[in-house]
Amino acid sequence: MKREDFILPVHAEERKRTKKNTESTFSNFKISDDIVNLGYGKKYFIHTYGCQANVRDGEALAGMMEMMGYTSTNVPDDADVLFFNTCAIRKAAEDRVLSDVNKLRYLKEQRPTTVFCICGCMAQEEETVKRILSVSPHVDLIFGTHNIHRMPNLLAEVIQSNQRKVEVFSQEGDVVEDVPVKRSMDSKGFVNIMYGCDKFCTYCIVPYTRGRERSRRMEDILREVEELKASGRKEVVLLGQNVNAYGKDLKMEDGFTQLLVAVAKTGIERISFYTSHPRDYSATTIDAMRDYPNIMPFLHLPVQSGSNEVLRRMARGYTVERYKQLYNDLKKKVPHIAFTTDLIVGFPNETDEEFEATLDLVRYCRFDMAYAFIYSPRAGTPAANMEDNIPLEVKKERLARLNDLLTEIAEENNRRFLGEIVSVLCIGTSKRNSEVYSGYSKDNKLVNFTSEKDCINQIVNVEITATHSYYLEGKAL
Ligand code: 5AD
Ligand code: SF4
């Protein structure tokens, strides 16, 4: 039996946000000399699930592993250390992770020194961690989102003292700078601008798993943007659960717009940002999108529902009217803007009328694309305790109707591109056909195109020859 050393997450602690703990402390990543060669001759494998914040965390894990001498592999069977960098947003995401982790259990049986690590949002969930500990005895290390920078030390302890270890903090720690990073893309780079979320939408687990809103200092963000620009990358993707709240904790006035303008002034070719919240969206941000051509003319602005009553039960803090007003301001000031959103169907006791109101809003905003989900109860959130009388079949039907409408509108919207010449950042070859290049237009449309010259990681002009709901086709000029 292995020794055990457990610090488990507690949702009741995660819920605490007091005035006292709203000030961030900043520190720098350090690695102790005795573990810099821990991975010499060994390999690591990372499976990242979920959103771009997780992708960026995966890049940090890879960076730290390579600093210790490990090399990467895409084949789990070849790995000495495996990471499951997890997502907790819906139950389906969690089930997928647990099934993947358990399917690979044979690796531990074949070679007991193989180390299985679970990190990311599932590691922050009280019940989930207890479940993993009991049903997946081959998992050696669980660490949370607040102490990802501690991974090298935790891994060394697991390996050197043959311990089973859990270290998950329920209250967020420092903002840690200079964590090594191995970038996953050469065309664009992900830059965290803030961590956490204070919004507590009633359905959402993120404020528990990612903690209180903490902003990085502007100078640290700008340094990272300059590094990405100097490395030849064409786009920076600014990341936060709720980017419009950037700088509030640093007592900045209109912090997100200040930051966005400063990033635009670095001259990097493209800037995108995820995710915006309608409640905090300021008019000055719309002005910046109008005034700086390198801020990409597209916006992902999750609305979740088209019914004021549902929005109230979700505690979203805005009305449909306010959302429409934002939409109209954006369309007026940046007329060619592409607009995308997230929608939830089947929130507890969503009536037919409330669902119809969502369809009406979709017809009004004519989204270029939307991620639509069936509501999934998350333990520890207020909505999980709401009574729900709507059968799953009805929810599935609603989702199908919503997706049909979204696809129809997206297809109509994209027709405007036929015969146009669009500038495309090429990110690689198409998944289906290696002779076809793939990239994104400035309005974030996926474009598959042919080109006589190799143009990977370059921005090229592409003439659009065919349009579809969710991608365009063309040829490079
Ligand atoms: N059930 C379904 N969808 C959810 N989302 C967040 N929490 C849940 C949940 N419990 C969706 C929201 C959010 C997106 C990232 O995931 O639409 O904007
Ligand atoms: Fe979740 Fe709401 Fe925060 Fe978005 S704003 S991460 S939906 S709590």
Side-chain angles (χ1 to χ4, degrees), residues 371-394:
Y371 296 103
F373 311 99
I374 291 184
Y375 165 70
S376 168
R378 306 283 63 215
T381 62
N385 298 327
M386 292 179 190
E387 199 197 329
D388 184 11
N389 295 322
I390 312 296
L392 183 61
E393 278 318 304
V394 173

Side-chain angles (χ1 to χ4, degrees), residues 227-239:
E227 280 165 15
L228 287 165
K229 184 176 167 226
S231 72
R233 287 183 175 79
K234 305 283 188 279
E235 181 181 335
V236 285
V237 186
L238 307 179
L239 297 178

Side-chain angles (χ1 to χ4, degrees), residues 265-417:
K265 285 183 176 162
T266 65
I268 184 113
E269 266 157 291
R270 288 183 172 195
I271 302 154
S272 54
F273 49 89
Y274 297 92
T275 297
S276 300
H277 195 300
R279 183 164 154 191
D280 292 331
Y281 214 90
S282 78
T284 56
T285 303
I286 304 179
D287 294 345
M289 294 183 79
R290 178 196 57 200
D291 296 341
Y292 291 88
N294 53 350
I295 304 175
M296 293 169 72
F298 89 93
L299 183 68
H300 183 64
L301 193 63
V303 64
Q304 315 299 357
S305 168
S307 149
N308 280 335
E309 174 50 29
V310 175
L311 290 175
R312 191 192 60 73
R313 298 207 297 274
M314 289 177 165
R316 289 288 290 175
Y318 55 84
T319 58
V320 176
E321 291 69 34
R322 157 81 179 140
Y323 189 87
K324 285 182 174 170
Q325 186 198 346
L326 262 177
Y327 167 82
N328 287 324
D329 286 352
L330 277 154
K331 283 275 173 183
K332 200 159 98 202
K333 288 189 180 155
V334 195
H336 52 295
I337 194 165
F339 209 65
T340 62
T341 199
D342 292 341
L343 295 160
I344 295 179
V345 300
F347 191 71
N349 285 328
E350 181 193 55
T351 63
D352 277 335
E353 291 70 38
E354 287 165 348
F355 170 66
E356 291 293 334
T358 296
L359 296 180
D360 286 344
L361 184 69
V362 168
R363 288 187 198 102
Y364 186 93
C365 294
R366 298 188 59 78
F367 296 106
D368 288 274
M369 202 268 300
Y371 296 103
F373 311 99
I374 291 184
Y375 165 70
S376 168
R378 306 283 63 215
T381 62
N385 298 327
M386 292 179 190
E387 199 197 329
D388 184 11
N389 295 322
I390 312 296
L392 183 61
E393 278 318 304
V394 173
K395 295 181 181 182
K396 284 187 181 163
E397 247 169 62
R398 287 181 186 165
L399 181 67
R401 273 185 69 199
L402 176 58
N403 275 328
D404 285 349
L405 177 63
L406 288 166
T407 304
E408 186 187 310
I409 291 174
E411 208 256 329
E412 286 166 11
N413 279 345
N414 274 353
R415 283 190 208 146
R416 70 179 186 272
F417 289 99

Side-chain angles (χ1 to χ4, degrees), residues 26 175 193-194 213-217 246-250:
F26 294 89
V175 172
I193 65 166
M194 59 186 300
E213 287 173 357
R214 293 98 68 206
S215 303
R216 287 178 72 200
R217 289 172 298 210
Y246 173 78
K248 277 188 178 174
D249 54 323
L250 302 177

Side-chain angles (χ1 to χ4, degrees), residues 102-319:
N102 288 337
K103 252 190 248 155
L104 291 172
R105 188 187 195 137
Y106 70 92
L107 293 177
K108 186 83 172 178
E109 283 152 15
Q110 283 172 359
R111 193 160 48 126
T113 54
T114 308
V115 183
F116 275 76
C117 309
I118 294 191
C119 56
C121 286
M122 276 170 74
Q124 292 291 149
E125 289 185 297
E126 204 173 315
E127 289 310 314
T128 310
V129 170
K130 287 183 194 150
R131 201 163 121 216
I132 296 170
L133 289 172
S134 72
V135 302
S136 304
H138 60 299
V139 172
D140 306 278
L141 172 61
I142 302 178
F143 57 93
T145 57
H146 306 316
N147 58 345
I148 183 167
H149 58 282
R150 296 245 316 131
M151 182 276 283
N153 296 74
L154 299 172
L155 182 64
E157 282 174 45
V158 167
I159 291 173
Q160 289 162 353
S161 56
N162 195 31
Q163 279 189 19
R164 195 177 196 211
K165 208 166 168 66
V166 180
E167 185 183 284
V168 182
F169 301 148
S170 302
Q171 296 270 312
E172 45 292 320
D174 303 341
V175 172
V176 182
E177 294 296 340
D178 295 335
V179 176
V181 52
K182 185 187 176 203
R183 303 273 173 191
S184 52
M185 294 179 87
D186 292 329
S187 51
K188 49 177 128 175
F190 300 104
V191 179
N192 286 317
I193 65 166
M194 59 186 300
Y195 306 97
C197 180
D198 284 349
K199 286 282 181 276
F200 287 97
C201 301
T202 54
Y203 51 83
C204 186
I205 196 71
V206 169
Y208 308 89
T209 60
R210 290 272 167 182
R212 175 176 59 75
E213 287 173 357
R214 293 98 68 206
S215 303
R216 287 178 72 200
R217 289 172 298 210
M218 193 143 122
E219 63 266 31
D220 294 323
I221 297 168
L222 291 175
R223 189 159 32 85
E224 193 173 335
V225 171
E226 291 287 4
E227 280 165 15
L228 287 165
K229 184 176 167 226
S231 72
R233 287 183 175 79
K234 305 283 188 279
E235 181 181 335
V236 285
V237 186
L238 307 179
L239 297 178
Q241 303 298 337
N242 172 19
V243 290
N244 309 91
Y246 173 78
K248 277 188 178 174
D249 54 323
L250 302 177
K251 314 278 178 293
M252 288 169 76
E253 272 296 312
D254 205 10
F256 181 61
T257 307
Q258 270 193 55
L259 175 71
L260 194 58
V261 167
V263 173
K265 285 183 176 162
T266 65
I268 184 113
E269 266 157 291
R270 288 183 172 195
I271 302 154
S272 54
F273 49 89
Y274 297 92
T275 297
S276 300
H277 195 300
R279 183 164 154 191
D280 292 331
Y281 214 90
S282 78
T284 56
T285 303
I286 304 179
D287 294 345
M289 294 183 79
R290 178 196 57 200
D291 296 341
Y292 291 88
N294 53 350
I295 304 175
M296 293 169 72
F298 89 93
L299 183 68
H300 183 64
L301 193 63
V303 64
Q304 315 299 357
S305 168
S307 149
N308 280 335
E309 174 50 29
V310 175
L311 290 175
R312 191 192 60 73
R313 298 207 297 274
M314 289 177 165
R316 289 288 290 175
Y318 55 84
T319 58

